Amino acid sequence: MDELNKYRIVNRYRIIIVFVFLSGLFISWFLKSGMYEYTIGFDKNASDIVGRAEEVQNSLINQVLNLFNYVTSAGDFISFVLPVLASALVILFIKEKSGLFFFKYVRNVSYRKNIISNILIQSSYSGITFFMAYFCFFIVGIILCKTAPEVNVEAFDLAFGQGFSIGELAWIGYLIEGVIKCFIFPFIYTFFACSLSLICKKTYQCIIIPTIYYFFLTIIISIGLGHVDWSPAYPIVSLTVAGTIIQSVIPLVFPLILSIGLILYSYAEGNKL
């Protein structure tokens, strides 16, 4: 691996952001799945379970340790935090674009082409690193969750056949869900933020605009208009709620088009990308 890619991957900003994301996944699962309630918060002296507290506790823990509960318990955390964290990785692109580091490794090639190429590279690294964090979380879930999921996920059955979501291979569906949530989604939002950096002067603007876009339109479309399937948050919640795999990625098309438009606008304005 060359020095440029080492800088892009082994960077304190990326490491901190991914650590926050991975830690948040486990904390969210522990607090929301029922694990806290049935472990640390479990009252073994409750009058209705005296004499069989350990048996009841183990039974309750086994009930919540299924893959559906494991994955969905981290869903709220992902939907609130991932847009911000993915957009925040624009910091790496801006530092590389504006610093001498960039010019040290790029010679005799179109500056604009390299900027566009680096946007795609940074967005890809963003998707890969968030997905790898999710994959670590997912593997722990595979190891811990011995109970088969009891909830039928419509999207999985539409894609793979009736009853797939509660079968032995249900983990494949949850892994595909992770690709959409934690690779495609952060790729698009990092791409969005990097595209904004071509016309915005302040780094915080490149982070806050995609964040506002995500939360404002989610509230307006989901709550105001009642069309959850068109909201920016739908790719994160769709597979375990309703819809299909194709439907889950449709809301990501608009920010992608908007990002491309920002790049073209910067060209049209004659800005030195």
Side-chain angles (χ1 to χ4, degrees):
M1 183 184 296
D2 59 36
E3 292 300 318
L4 179 55
N5 282 310
K6 284 182 181 178
Y7 165 79
R8 288 167 172 164
I9 297 173
V10 187
N11 185 287
R12 70 178 185 275
Y13 293 107
R14 188 182 303 280
I15 292 171
I16 291 171
I17 286 173
V18 172
F19 176 78
V20 169
F21 180 67
L22 182 58
S23 300
L25 290 176
F26 283 110
I27 293 171
S28 181
W29 161 69
F30 186 71
L31 295 178
K32 297 204 64 178
S33 68
M35 285 300 294
Y36 172 81
E37 181 182 354
Y38 299 143
T39 54
I40 297 175
F42 188 75
D43 183 8
K44 293 184 178 181
N45 297 316
S47 58
D48 56 338
I49 60 170
V50 171
R52 56 190 184 94
E54 187 173 341
E55 177 187 348
V56 172
Q57 183 182 30
N58 290 335
S59 175
L60 291 171
I61 290 175
N62 286 332
Q63 287 178 32
V64 300
L65 277 178
N66 68 75
L67 204 54
F68 176 85
N69 192 37
Y70 182 83
V71 172
T72 55
S73 62
D76 286 346
F77 172 79
I78 294 175
S79 64
F80 278 103
V81 174
L82 187 54
V84 182
L85 296 181
S87 300
L89 284 175
V90 71
I91 295 171
L92 299 182
F93 173 72
I94 291 174
K95 285 183 173 294
E96 185 176 325
K97 179 169 72 77
S98 60
L100 294 175
F101 190 91
F102 177 82
F103 297 101
K104 180 179 178 181
Y105 290 92
V106 181
R107 298 185 179 92
N108 302 320
V109 185
S110 168
Y111 181 74
R112 283 183 169 179
K113 287 182 179 179
N114 274 280
I115 290 293
I116 304 305
S117 173
N118 288 343
I119 289 177
L120 292 172
I121 290 171
Q122 291 288 357
S123 301
S124 297
Y125 281 159
S126 174
I128 291 170
T129 50
F130 280 113
F131 178 72
M132 291 305 296
Y134 174 84
F135 187 73
C136 292
F137 173 75
F138 184 77
I139 291 299
V140 172
I142 293 292
I143 295 171
L144 290 178
C145 299
K146 305 301 182 182
T147 305
E150 298 178 353
V151 179
N152 196 53
V153 180
E154 180 182 345
F156 294 173
D157 289 352
L158 289 173
F160 303 108
Q162 190 66 33
F164 176 85
S165 60
I166 55 177
E168 293 182 357
L169 297 178
W171 63 270
I172 297 175
Y174 293 106
L175 187 61
I176 293 173
E177 178 185 0
V179 172
I180 296 171
K181 287 181 178 181
C182 298
F183 177 78
I184 298 177
F185 185 94
F187 174 94
I188 295 296
Y189 274 77
T190 302
F191 188 83
F192 188 9
C194 289
S195 300
L196 280 166
S197 73
L198 304 180
I199 61 173
C200 295
K201 295 182 179 180
K202 302 294 185 181
T203 300
Y204 76 86
Q205 295 172 323
C206 305
I207 300 172
I208 199 170
I209 291 174
T211 302
I212 291 175
Y213 165 87
Y214 173 86
F215 285 105
F216 180 75
L217 287 186
T218 294
I219 293 171
I220 295 298
I221 296 174
S222 299
I223 301 177
L225 301 179
H227 291 286
V228 179
D229 53 332
W230 291 103
S231 76
Y234 193 67
I236 293 179
V237 302
S238 59
L239 296 188
T240 49
V241 176
T244 65
I245 292 174
I246 298 295
Q247 287 175 318
S248 68
V249 299
I250 289 177
L252 294 173
V253 173
F254 184 73
L256 177 61
I257 293 174
L258 183 58
S259 301
I260 295 172
L262 289 168
I263 294 172
L264 296 176
Y265 173 77
S266 186
Y267 268 113
E269 288 296 302
N271 294 339
K272 185 178 181 181
L273 299 181

